[in-house]
Amino acid sequence: MRSFQVRQPGAPLELAEQPTPQPTGTEVLLKVIAAGVCHSDLHLSDGYFDLGGGKRMSLTDRGMKLPVTLGHENVGDVVALGPQASGVKVGDRRLAHPWIGCGTCAVCAREEENLCRAMRSLGVFSHGGYSDYLMVPHPRYLIDIGDLPPAQVAPLACSGVTTYGALKKVGPTLKTEPTVIIGAGGLGLMCIGVHKAMGGHSTIVVDIDAGKRDAARRAGAGVVIDGTAPDAAAQVIAATGGAGAWAVIDLVGSSATARLGVDSLIKGGKYIIVGLYGGDVTLSLPPIPMRALTVQGSYVGSLPEMRELIELVRRTGLPPVPVATRPLAEVNAALSDLRAGKIVGRVVLTPAG
Ligand SMILES: [Zn+2]
Ligand SMILES: [Zn+2]
């Protein structure tokens, strides 16, 4: 099998050709049909996150072991099962939930594996789907996608469930007030679509790029705002009706967007940070209690959230995120296009051709 792996942080992914593994125990082997290319793959191949002020968080220090095959947004066909794997059969087409915990701790027992302290996430801490085959540790992580098209479904495994998890944190005002979304890349367009599917009131979308703002408008954003405008926060507040936003979902996560997000909130508002662009910010503390602000992080999503999302999409239809497919061998070109900001929507690799 061919796999594209991080061997050296900062270098292009390297092709590894190895024998196809055979599943043991509860494992299930998928033939990969669709593997989405995600912005976080850039950080994973660089080997670090930028913490601001010149500080970095090294991914190998956090438990990433090299070489590792990237790719955490995967749909595949079951081709082999270990002797203890049940609930799926050869030929079944499934989305693989990648945010897998240790499976034994208290956090995993309450089905919040995405918060486990010993995660085994596919395409991050264990081999992912930039490969002909993907090994999934247990059938419970496989989700039936029905007749939905694999290339459009694959991004739900990361950008879909990440935005769904963040939107759930908004709470009841999701349906009664506008939600602000900062960033209109692949994640932003997904967020607009999932917000609509969840019955959200309306969206105010901020991006610094005119092309991405147009894409957001086409995807159904109620209002779009240029994040580079010196009065961007005032524009966001005006778009909410003048008092500020009940919820800002920051899909960028830079120093500038954090400032903008917090400055756009109403009394009692929530700033929910998802993006991992990097940086830092200094906040005055008294306004946090006095204005009862919430600053909350949101990291991917849980297995129950993934199941809810797929059920929602099977009921309401796929979010209208533009998807372009490319062969597996073009993975490095796709990553450099993503780094250069040239991709609107999502690129999905098709290892099976
Ligand atoms: Zn991702
Ligand atoms: Zn755990």
Side-chain angles (χ1 to χ4, degrees), residues 103-116:
T104 55
C105 74
V107 177
C108 287
R110 26 169 232 264
E111 295 209 289
E112 292 183 313
E113 292 186 46
N114 54 317
L115 305 180
C116 174

Side-chain angles (χ1 to χ4, degrees), residues 126-144:
S126 60
H127 296 308
Y130 292 172
S131 179
D132 295 315
Y133 295 93
L134 170 69
M135 192 68 84
V136 178
H138 194 282
R140 67 196 295 259
Y141 302 112
L142 297 174
I143 298 166
D144 190 353

Side-chain angles (χ1 to χ4, degrees), residues 167-212:
L167 286 161
K168 278 190 77 171
K169 292 180 176 71
V170 171
T173 61
L174 185 84
K175 293 189 176 171
T176 58
E177 305 288 341
T179 296
V180 178
I181 299 168
I182 303 179
L187 206 53
L189 300 183
M190 180 67 82
C191 195
I192 296 167
V194 174
H195 174 270
K196 182 160 184 266
M198 291 169 77
H201 177 275
S202 60
T203 53
I204 297 167
V205 179
V206 182
D207 201 286
I208 59 173
D209 181 276
K212 293 194 172 133

Side-chain angles (χ1 to χ4, degrees), residues 266-284:
I266 194 171
K267 218 173 180 182
K270 290 182 188 173
Y271 167 65
I272 300 163
I273 176 165
V274 174
L276 292 165
Y277 181 90
D280 58 7
V281 69
T282 302
L283 291 177
S284 298

